[in-house]
Amino acid sequence: MAAARGAAIRQQLLERPAPVVADALGYHDKTTTRLLNETGGTWSRYAAGDHKRSPAGWTPQETHGS
């Protein structure tokens, strides 16, 4: 069971930044960063923080057909 869990976490790290996986699964970000390095993932740059806010002066473009 532990091997399957480890494999699942490593797969998530190949698809998402380590801090995102850590937050979602309740792991420490240093643990997920270490696992990412062990798996050879490429998420070397990730701007942590509140990504729900839009930058000042930014307005979304209208989408047609929605």
Side-chain angles (χ1 to χ4, degrees):
M1 184 75 138
R5 184 179 320 145
I9 293 168
R10 285 175 172 82
Q11 182 62 41
Q12 291 294 312
L13 289 167
L14 293 173
E15 299 172 5
R16 293 167 183 79
V20 172
V21 175
D23 188 46
L25 300 178
Y27 281 77
H28 193 280
D29 62 304
K30 288 185 180 183
T31 302
T32 55
T33 299
R34 179 181 51 80
L35 291 171
L36 174 68
N37 291 334
E38 290 174 5
T39 60
T42 58
W43 285 99
S44 62
R45 293 188 181 120
Y46 173 71
D50 184 4
H51 294 280
K52 296 176 202 140
R53 298 181 307 131
S54 298
W58 180 82
T59 56
Q61 294 181 356
E62 292 183 33
T63 57
H64 300 288
S66 300

